Amino acid sequence: MLRHLLAGTALLLVASVAQAASDAATRFGARENIQQISLSPDGKHIAVIQPSAGAGSTLFTVSVADGTVTPVTRGSGFPDRLLGCYWSSNTRLTCNVQVLVNDGTQYLGFDRILAVDLDGKNMKMLSARTTDRALGNDQDGGTVIDWQTGTDDGGVLMTHNYVAEASTGTHLANVDSGLGVDWVDTTTLKHRVIEQPRGGATSYLTDGHGAVRIMAVRGTDSSGYDANLIRYSFRAKDSRSWQLLGTETINGSVSVGFTPVAVDRDKNVAYGFDVANGHTALFSVALDGSGKRESVLARDDVDVDALIRLGRSRRVVGASFVTDRRETVYFDPELKRLTQSLGKALPGTPLIDIVDASADESKLLIVARGDVDPGRYYLYDKTNHHLDEVLPTRPQLAQTKLAPVKPMTYPAADGTQIPGYLTLPPGSDGKNLPTIVMPHGGPDSRDEWGFDWLVQFFANRGYAVLQPNFRGSTGYGQAYFNKNGFHSWQTAIGDVNDGGRWLIKQGIADPAHLAIVGWSYGGYAALQSAVLDPNLFKAIVAVAPVTDLETLRQEHSGFTDFPQVDAQIGHGPYVRAGSPAQNAERFAAPVLLFHGDRDQNVGIGESRLMASRLKSAGKPVELVEFHNLDHQLDDSTVRAGMLDKMDLFLRTSMQLPPAP
């Protein structure tokens, strides 16, 4: 019953997307039907956020017993967005909401936390309210850092950013400033201070059972920007005194030192990441004052980059890394056996993750995914070993044949083997195809094996797609990361272009029908590829791209992370040489740009600058602007139209026949 009622709800929502786009673009451009999902502590209800009209989203609760679906609240997408909702009790949810506010020069995101009953009633603001006397903007509405506070009434621990107030004419003004921690009853709003505000504090970690054990403090420089040094302090059990745990130094995209991310109460250790033998590894550090440090999981080929946590206490149960595919090592023997059994029971979806659990962990929310299966969610009951499907993530593609994704490597010009993924059109012989090189965003990121809606759309339209993890990608260690994809753009973009040349040499790509498509840093890479080799790609598509490194630097000048972005970009002649907008005269291929005008990651001014420079240089270019959309273009209608326009542009530019 649960499965059918949820599926019906999802199909009702996705039926509202635009009809103007082609059928393929509509199916692939539709947003995932589950944007976020969580399980109530008693395991009796599921909360699901699903896409709604435009860029909106709606929160539903679903009864596990009878499948009753109840709409709770929604976000319009602009100016408010519903980011995530989690259970603070069996009947109460806390939701993270972001509101975009125009300060007169730009849009700033203000995050707030709301609480609401599972039937949509009794909505209240949990984030502390500021007055008109506040001596600054409070963009941070706090973060819930502990759900287990010793009560069952929905009390949580959450951070509170105290903002000092002007005291002229009043004795009631708040004079405290800095980040503290409050206990808050999510129903009555009763609260008490757990940690007094401290200037420079940036985060706190608890033991998952209501005790704050670690504090991070990051100072500022003389201009008010974030300092490069973070100091971590810890408390021993049953102590209120802080002791130094260690320090982390951040220089651009590179950090040096132990970064704590979780506390294990029973083992009395902090788990965190640090570099060992050139690769990020997982360590534990004792919180008893001895400083004893142990390696928990390390590899000599790839970075260990994720911690797996479970349940209300967010206990550490494993860690993961990516070789050809993401692999998880479970420290919990029961979960290891369970996921191995599920892998056998769910063939075709080898990527299995535990998303959430009931308080006693007898019920688990699980997602299973693969390259030709976008994924589906299940509810597993340990007591009777019963597995119920909750909802597929993309039911629109249920009858669509998807293309397998193959891990591979190719040689760069200097002989370095560049890992990546090659996707060929279903039924293709892999020869003499229209082909797309698709560099990933970031740049401090990487592509992974699995379903990708952009890749699968183009494969469906008859294109081969190469996703290169060029040098500057994360996951392969410090040496491979180089300095980062901006500072060392010559190497990163060279690797991208070498991928195109390899495709031609292998006979996969028709050299007359080779294009490049990218989003964010991938869009930058697509444009900068033409600066290095104007004649390699015959068409260029860039979504929300960085186009001028100096402009990107200045976009951060009013934010506290400016020194880190400044170091990431660096200084020297390579900055101008590495900015496609400053080298428009080198372009030979036509360019298509897409950008949302509320993008807070990369300002739309970068695409406008690129289009202007290309037009002035007499080069063919088109810029498509989307009103009231951000960096992700989270609108099914917009995405569908964009896919069709991309396909038409590529076929026209490269003189390909129309899509079937």
Side-chain angles (χ1 to χ4, degrees), residues 463 642-654:
Y463 300 88
M642 181 176 70
L643 290 179
D644 269 342
K645 190 168 184 65
M646 285 180 177
D647 188 27
L648 178 61
F649 168 77
L650 295 176
R651 291 181 184 281
T652 301
S653 301
M654 298 190 293

Side-chain angles (χ1 to χ4, degrees), residues 57-202:
S57 55
T58 302
L59 170 67
F60 296 91
T61 56
V62 185
S63 168
V64 172
D66 61 15
T68 301
V69 179
T70 304
V72 178
T73 189
R74 69 179 301 272
S76 66
F78 180 82
D80 58 296
R81 291 196 303 167
L82 193 58
L83 301 181
C85 294
Y86 307 88
W87 297 88
S88 57
S89 72
N90 291 324
T91 59
R92 194 88 170 139
L93 286 149
T94 64
C95 294
N96 297 356
V97 178
Q98 184 181 77
V99 178
L100 290 180
V101 177
N102 193 328
D103 70 350
T105 59
Q106 61 187 328
Y107 278 86
L108 300 176
F110 286 76
D111 294 341
R112 295 295 183 263
I113 299 182
L114 307 175
V116 62
D117 289 344
L118 59 78
D119 59 1
K121 298 178 181 178
N122 195 28
M123 181 178 288
K124 295 182 179 180
M125 173 83 75
L126 297 186
S127 298
R129 299 180 183 273
T130 55
T131 71
D132 56 7
R133 298 193 303 272
L135 299 175
N137 291 325
D138 182 14
Q139 289 183 253
D140 177 17
T143 302
V144 174
I145 60 173
D146 203 308
W147 306 92
Q148 296 277 84
T149 60
T151 64
D152 295 322
D153 57 4
V156 299
L157 294 187
M158 60 182 290
T159 57
H160 177 181
N161 189 36
Y162 288 76
V163 179
E165 298 175 333
S167 58
T168 304
T170 180
H171 297 290
L172 302 178
N174 172 50
V175 296
D176 295 324
S177 63
L179 191 70
V181 178
D182 295 347
W183 173 86
V184 180
D185 185 310
T186 61
T187 301
T188 66
L189 300 190
K190 290 181 180 179
H191 71 281
R192 63 178 181 271
V193 177
I194 302 299
E195 297 291 339
Q196 293 290 340
R198 174 161 180 165
T202 58

Side-chain angles (χ1 to χ4, degrees), residues 266-384:
D266 298 332
K267 294 182 178 179
N268 196 30
V269 300
Y271 288 102
F273 296 99
D274 202 349
V275 174
N277 299 319
H279 290 84
T280 301
L282 178 66
F283 294 89
S284 67
V285 176
L287 298 181
D288 58 6
S290 68
K292 181 181 179 182
R293 170 166 155 158
E294 295 183 354
S295 174
V296 179
L297 184 63
R299 303 271 303 190
D300 59 8
D301 55 346
V302 295
D303 295 332
V304 178
D305 58 6
L307 200 64
I308 311 301
R309 306 179 68 181
L310 183 67
R312 303 287 291 170
S313 65
R314 306 298 296 145
R315 70 183 181 97
V316 174
V317 298
S320 72
F321 52 86
V322 184
T323 53
D324 287 343
R325 301 179 182 180
R326 182 161 291 276
E327 301 178 39
T328 299
V329 175
Y330 282 100
F331 310 144
D332 183 301
E334 181 187 12
L335 293 177
K336 180 179 179 180
R337 289 192 297 269
L338 174 61
T339 53
Q340 288 175 343
S341 297
L342 289 172
K344 296 176 182 177
L346 302 170
T349 53
L351 303 178
I352 296 175
D353 297 307
I354 303 173
V355 178
D356 202 358
S358 58
D360 63 2
E361 297 186 17
S362 65
K363 293 182 179 178
L364 304 176
L365 268 178
I366 294 168
V367 62
R369 298 168 288 117
D371 56 346
V372 295
D373 190 327
R376 52 198 69 236
Y377 286 82
Y378 298 89
L379 182 63
Y380 179 72
D381 191 330
K382 289 183 182 180
T383 59
N384 58 19

Side-chain angles (χ1 to χ4, degrees), residues 202-224:
T202 58
S203 63
Y204 295 87
L205 293 177
T206 77
D207 64 358
H209 296 272
V212 178
R213 299 292 304 277
I214 293 178
M215 173 178 63
V217 176
R218 185 175 192 170
T220 57
D221 62 19
S222 58
S223 300

Side-chain angles (χ1 to χ4, degrees), residues 351 369-372 405 421 448-452 456 467:
L351 303 178
R369 298 168 288 117
D371 56 346
V372 295
V405 179
Y421 300 95
E448 295 188 28
W449 181 88
F451 175 86
D452 183 298
Q456 290 293 338
Q467 297 170 270

